[in-house]
Amino acid sequence: MAYDHKQIDAKWQQRWEKAQTFKAEDPRKTTKPKYYALDMFPYPSGYGLHVGHLASYTPTDVVSRYKRARGFNVLHPMGYDSFGLPAEQFAIQTGIHPAVTTEKAIESFRSTLKTMGYSFDWPREVSTCDPKFYKWTQFIFTKLFERGLAYQKEVPVNWCPALRTVLANEEVIDGKSERGGHPVIRVPMKQWMLKITDYAERLLADLDKVDWLERTKEAQRNWIGKSEGANVFFGIQGSTEKFEIFTTRPDTLFGVTFMVLSPEHPLLTKGSGIVPASHRASVDDYQAKASAKSEVDRKAATEKTGVFTGAYAIHPFNGKSIPIWTADYVLVDYGTGAIMAVPGHDERDYEFAQTFGLEIKRVIDGGDLPFTGEGKLVNSDFLDGLDQPAALKRAIEEVEKRKIGTRNIQYKLRDWLFSRQRYWGEPFPVVRFPSGDLKTVPVNELPVLLPEVADYQPSEKGEAPLARNQDWVQYADGGRRETDTMPGSAGSSWYFLRYCDPHNDDAFCDFDLQKYWMPVDLYVGGAEHTVGHLLYSRFWQKVLFDAGLVSHDEPFQKLAHQGVILGPDGERMSKSRGNVVNPDSVREQYGADVLRAYVMFLGPMDADKPWQENGIGGVQRFLDRLWRAAVSEDGASIADSAALPEELNKLLHKTIKKVGDDLDAMAFNTAISALMILLNEVYKASSHSKLVLMPLVQMVAPFAPHVAEELWEKMGGEGFVALAPWPKFDSALTVDSVVSIGVQVNGKSRGVIEIDKDASEEAAVAAALSVPSVQNAMGGKPADKVIYKAGRILNLIVKS
RNA sequence: GCCCCGGUGGCGAAAUUGGUAGACGCACAGGACUUAAAAUCCUGAGUCUCGAGCAAUCGGACGUGCCGGUUCAAGUCCGGCCCGGGGCACCA
């Protein structure tokens, strides 16, 4: 008989709630070590919770429950990243206020999360669109502003005409919007920017402090994109002006045969004077063409384009004149927007030189041009004969000595585009006064509430909906409020701090409380947030650290990513493919415990794996079998206190060890398989003993908490199994004295012997020789050599 | 192009880090129980137009994407490829 999961799930969810079983303890009233287990909070979409959420929240919940049983004071909260585009798009279509649809979606998420039996500390729930929350998002913005890290700038931005908003670099994938896949073009607009570039070096260096997957760290390193080199000044012929280039290869300075300025370079603007009248028209023409190109077109360009400007630069070492070109393969917003071209040793410069028939000069000995490897310098004056690395060092020294440039470091990371011309986001706590002064509003005026507007649609020119509420825009002394809103990633960049002290009206978080709980000990979420959310959060944490408001400079000590759960067909779940699995219907049928345990048993948590519905039956059988081992047909407990057979007792201790090790390593699938093996042996031994069933139920509890509580209660366990101390093992019982080891003859497996784990070589060989298949393989000859590792392997070598 | 992951039965996957490859589960087959079915319990099973035997069974060869290497011993280490997934990409 199967247990009644509907009744049991509801019963224990109510009891946990009533007893506040999962409430984190007050740090001032406990001596327990802390453990902060966090999920990336969901965007509460109207579609409800999907299996991807379960793949993330279930492992975190298993770890939280395990850590509680292990004596940790666990903080395991949940909340909602509730500002964002979908609710706003829906509002534009229907006129329903996004707050209404968002609240409805949150209710749906909350109820689904509760029916899964997740051990969240519910009273700590946060929602980024709640004024009590975004008050502090605005407060943190004022801190950024005060520290000179928030500024407005006319910048070429990623403008998405379909969404009528600008997007951050991280939100643009291959020239299209991350959300919706609409085309994105580059247009200049005045925007709020956050100076994340000031933190580039620390964001890079501090990756060494955290326990993240190497590939995630590597992706952040790539995104930050550090390059070391030098800025070098080149003079301009017939002018007193100079211009600066950035290069990582000053060793190739003598290989320069032309210079390239990006089309947007200030020296090329009308009236700057370096472009002679004879070339003005063609430069103008080229600039116009380049600016008309979208980011996508620029990237898709197969051939290099450019024009000669008519001007010449002067080589800082040998005074030779070098033609200056302009081309759009040089980007205005990286380095200085100008380069020295060394076609002999750079593939892009080589391609450009080939296209326009420019000189290509070798300065490093080696393979075919363009040669980017190492070798000895040639045709390079004082660098001749040096190896490339030595030449690089020497060249930088010489540049600095002659004061024609300085060593320099460049990052690919750009400042964070922080404003959106949208409605459903945090208003900026900023006012512009007639004098032109820009000021943040006083802290006691926070939160700056999001005003009501008649129409949520942004204007085609990019003016934000908030501008329509003129009453709201007016501020004292003729000031006008900023009408842009913050991007979705604002609230998510610090919400993990709010959980430490969620109801504080005087501070975003009490200093001592964050000092106790932070950093997050385990953070689980999708790998797609690698360069967005995870980088922004690290940045804000560091800013708050520098402001003395938090005590740690990294927010997430350990990070894990859940794999993608694919459809039963092995393809990514999508509505168009029709392979989307709805977790609600699965839970209805099998119960929360089976669903949770199944998700954990599917495979390694970080692997992408298909959802195979028929596999659920195996997990369901396992929990039913556990139930039947302890409970009779009429629902009474049949557990007794009989002593365990020796073998079963040993297996119990081995299992306690293995499950603990596996949980520490987040190897949930193998932990469950160990529990299955133990239960199978319980059946074979026909045991109903509490001595094995109670610890087994305790170990099952993190995965299947409802049925575990019910069994624990029936067997007379004290209190909640969720809070019962984790079972201990006797290490003496976890090792077998007699083991079966493989016997090989000439390296091939030929049999197995049962032997004392410390048996001597003589004993092992004797035992092996009595095995017929071993004798057979040896063909009657003696062993010429014996390799024996006690308890592991015996290999007999026979010369043919 | 560069940088990461990954590739093991019909399927999801294990494998103490070089030591009996395929634990556990699904699906499958056989048996027990049953009037029958479901459920349950027990048992079997990598592949082979390989060999012996009436048979249960016993033995052999092959086997972790491909080729080569190191080693007594390779899924695991090394070199060279192929395939799948992800990230970066005109960043000087």
Side-chain angles (χ1 to χ4, degrees), chain A residues 321-357:
Chain A
S321 69
I322 310 161
I324 302 176
W325 287 64
T326 178
D328 66 4
Y329 83 92
V330 174
L331 310 174
V332 69
D333 52 1
Y334 181 79
T336 61
I339 62 154
M340 61 175 211
V342 185
H345 303 283
D346 180 280
E347 281 168 25
R348 297 149 304 186
D349 297 345
Y350 182 86
E351 197 189 322
F352 192 82
Q354 288 270 301
T355 306
F356 294 98

Side-chain angles (χ1 to χ4, degrees), chain A residues 158 166-172 416-420 487 489 536:
Chain A
N158 305 302
V166 300
L167 298 169
N169 290 328
E170 290 81 351
E171 293 173 310
V172 181
W416 176 6
L417 179 79
F418 196 67
S419 44
R420 300 289 183 274
S489 36
Y536 298 149

Side-chain angles (χ1 to χ4, degrees), chain A residues 570-589:
Chain A
E571 301 286 337
R572 218 167 250 274
M573 285 190 193
S574 75
K575 287 180 190 73
S576 59
R577 214 178 255 118
N579 61 351
V580 177
V581 173
N582 177 0
D584 287 307
S585 61
V586 178
R587 196 197 61 248
E588 279 285 311
Q589 190 181 345

Side-chain angles (χ1 to χ4, degrees), chain A residues 248-452:
Chain A
T248 55
R249 295 292 303 276
D251 53 307
T252 60
L253 259 165
F254 291 97
V256 175
T257 58
F258 58 100
M259 312 295 292
V260 186
L261 306 182
S262 78
E264 299 87 358
H265 195 281
L267 275 183
L268 297 180
T269 52
K270 281 197 173 70
S272 78
I274 82 148
V275 180
S278 55
H279 289 78
R280 191 68 248 177
S282 66
V283 170
D284 282 351
D285 184 50
Y286 186 74
Q287 287 177 315
K289 278 184 190 156
S291 70
K293 273 193 203 174
S294 71
E295 191 84 337
V296 197
D297 294 337
R298 264 200 182 193
K299 281 182 178 159
T302 48
E303 270 193 8
K304 294 263 182 297
T305 61
V307 294
F308 177 48
T309 64
Y312 289 87
I314 302 162
H315 193 285
F317 279 144
N318 59 23
K320 283 189 180 160
S321 69
I322 310 161
I324 302 176
W325 287 64
T326 178
D328 66 4
Y329 83 92
V330 174
L331 310 174
V332 69
D333 52 1
Y334 181 79
T336 61
I339 62 154
M340 61 175 211
V342 185
H345 303 283
D346 180 280
E347 281 168 25
R348 297 149 304 186
D349 297 345
Y350 182 86
E351 197 189 322
F352 192 82
Q354 288 270 301
T355 306
F356 294 98
L358 302 169
E359 186 192 355
I360 298 169
K361 190 176 165 191
R362 177 187 286 280
V363 289
I364 296 175
D365 228 10
D368 293 342
L369 296 181
F371 175 65
T372 54
E374 292 187 3
K376 283 203 192 308
L377 275 279
V378 293
N379 306 321
S380 291
D381 197 327
F382 61 88
L383 297 174
D384 278 350
L386 291 173
D387 282 326
Q388 192 272 328
L392 180 60
K393 195 163 170 273
R394 180 71 206 284
I396 294 182
E397 285 164 7
E398 200 63 26
V399 162
E400 292 202 313
K401 194 171 138 200
R402 300 196 195 183
K403 298 194 184 333
I404 54 173
T406 50
R407 66 186 66 226
N408 193 24
I409 295 170
Q410 283 293 330
Y411 300 91
K412 285 192 231 174
L413 184 69
R414 308 295 164 82
D415 276 343
W416 176 6
L417 179 79
F418 196 67
S419 44
R420 300 289 183 274
Q421 292 67 52
R422 304 292 303 200
Y423 176 73
W424 193 230
E426 300 88 347
F428 281 84
V430 172
V431 177
R432 179 181 296 279
F433 290 94
S435 63
D437 281 358
L438 213 52
K439 287 184 181 161
T440 54
V441 304
V443 173
N444 62 18
E445 288 181 26
L446 297 179
V448 174
L449 292 172
L450 188 59
E452 294 302 320

Side-chain angles (χ1 to χ4, degrees), chain A residues 353-634:
Chain A
Q354 288 270 301
T355 306
F356 294 98
L358 302 169
E359 186 192 355
I360 298 169
K361 190 176 165 191
R362 177 187 286 280
V363 289
I364 296 175
D365 228 10
D368 293 342
L369 296 181
F371 175 65
T372 54
E374 292 187 3
K376 283 203 192 308
L377 275 279
V378 293
N379 306 321
S380 291
D381 197 327
F382 61 88
L383 297 174
D384 278 350
L386 291 173
D387 282 326
Q388 192 272 328
L392 180 60
K393 195 163 170 273
R394 180 71 206 284
I396 294 182
E397 285 164 7
E398 200 63 26
V399 162
E400 292 202 313
K401 194 171 138 200
R402 300 196 195 183
K403 298 194 184 333
I404 54 173
T406 50
R407 66 186 66 226
N408 193 24
I409 295 170
Q410 283 293 330
Y411 300 91
K412 285 192 231 174
L413 184 69
R414 308 295 164 82
D415 276 343
W416 176 6
L417 179 79
F418 196 67
S419 44
R420 300 289 183 274
Q421 292 67 52
R422 304 292 303 200
Y423 176 73
W424 193 230
E426 300 88 347
F428 281 84
V430 172
V431 177
R432 179 181 296 279
F433 290 94
S435 63
D437 281 358
L438 213 52
K439 287 184 181 161
T440 54
V441 304
V443 173
N444 62 18
E445 288 181 26
L446 297 179
V448 174
L449 292 172
L450 188 59
E452 294 302 320
V453 296
D455 181 5
Y456 305 109
Q457 180 89 23
S459 81
E460 275 177 45
K461 288 179 301 188
E463 195 181 40
L466 301 200
R468 298 208 183 96
N469 188 330
Q470 281 300 317
D471 289 346
W472 179 82
V473 171
Q474 302 297 334
Y475 191 80
D477 304 324
R480 293 179 64 80
R481 292 186 190 273
E482 170 61 69
T483 57
D484 283 0
T485 52
M486 297 186 202
S489 36
S492 63
S493 295
W494 75 279
Y495 75 109
F496 43 89
L497 288 164
R498 187 64 178 172
Y499 285 134
C500 301
D501 190 15
H503 308 297
N504 193 334
D505 288 329
D506 302 319
F508 68 92
C509 182
D510 176 77
F511 188 84
D512 289 337
L513 286 173
Q514 65 78 32
K515 189 176 177 188
Y516 175 82
W517 287 114
M518 291 291 288
V520 173
D521 295 281
L522 173 63
Y523 194 33
V524 178
E528 69 275 15
H529 296 105
T530 299
V531 293
H533 163 63
L534 289 169
L535 200 58
Y536 298 149
S537 301
R538 295 181 61 218
F539 167 48
W540 279 31
Q541 181 78 18
K542 286 179 189 303
V543 173
L544 293 172
F545 176 79
D546 290 350
L549 297 170
V550 300
S551 49
H552 306 272
D553 66 351
E554 280 292 332
F556 313 123
Q557 183 51 40
K558 184 178 170 70
L559 175 72
H561 302 296
Q562 81 275 15
V564 178
I565 300 208
L566 307 167
D569 53 0
E571 301 286 337
R572 218 167 250 274
M573 285 190 193
S574 75
K575 287 180 190 73
S576 59
R577 214 178 255 118
N579 61 351
V580 177
V581 173
N582 177 0
D584 287 307
S585 61
V586 178
R587 196 197 61 248
E588 279 285 311
Q589 190 181 345
Y590 298 94
D593 290 332
V594 170
L595 180 52
R596 291 169 56 112
Y598 173 65
V599 168
M600 302 313 289
F601 188 59
L602 264 180
M605 119 164 201
D606 56 356
D608 294 351
K609 48 212 174 278
W611 179 274
Q612 293 196 312
E613 191 118 11
N614 56 13
I616 296 176
V619 175
Q620 183 188 30
R621 260 189 286 277
F622 166 63
L623 294 179
D624 280 343
R625 272 159 70 83
L626 178 63
W627 178 266
R628 285 195 307 272
V631 179
S632 64
E633 282 288 321
D634 60 9

Side-chain angles (χ1 to χ4, degrees), chain A residues 201-210 538 542 553-554:
Chain A
E201 186 57 40
R202 283 164 68 189
L203 289 168
L204 188 66
D206 290 351
L207 285 171
D208 293 338
K209 292 185 185 174
V210 294
R538 295 181 61 218
K542 286 179 189 303
D553 66 351
E554 280 292 332

Side-chain angles (χ1 to χ4, degrees), chain A residues 639-776:
Chain A
D640 56 40
S641 302
L644 299 181
E646 192 192 337
E647 284 305 309
L648 183 58
N649 192 41
K650 284 170 83 171
L651 183 64
L652 170 63
H653 285 263
K654 284 182 198 167
T655 305
I656 294 171
K657 179 178 191 314
K658 166 134 182 89
V659 170
D661 290 347
D662 281 355
L663 286 175
D664 288 333
M666 297 207 290
F668 307 104
N669 54 332
T670 52
I672 293 176
S673 93
L675 295 169
M676 287 173 165
I677 292 169
L678 178 60
L679 182 63
N680 289 345
E681 291 306 312
V682 165
Y683 268 72
K684 280 182 196 156
S686 302
S687 172
H688 299 293
S689 175
K690 287 181 188 175
L691 296 180
V692 60
L693 290 175
M694 291 189 74
L696 178 53
V697 161
Q698 285 186 273
M699 290 189 281
V700 167
F703 300 97
H706 310 84
V707 68
E709 292 286 4
E710 185 71 18
L711 286 169
W712 184 254
E713 185 184 53
K714 279 188 187 298
M715 289 193 289
E718 216 174 292
F720 289 104
V721 71
L723 301 178
W726 195 253
K728 292 189 164 49
F729 63 87
D730 176 352
S731 37
L733 291 171
T734 61
V735 282
D736 288 316
S737 53
V738 174
V739 294
S740 66
I741 66 168
V743 179
Q744 300 179 339
V745 176
N746 293 334
K748 291 199 171 190
S749 296
R750 297 295 179 184
V752 175
I753 52 173
E754 298 283 324
I755 196 164
D756 194 281
K757 73 173 165 57
D758 303 314
S760 68
E761 184 174 311
E762 290 72 27
V765 171
L769 289 177
S770 68
V771 177
S773 57
V774 173
Q775 289 171 0
N776 193 15

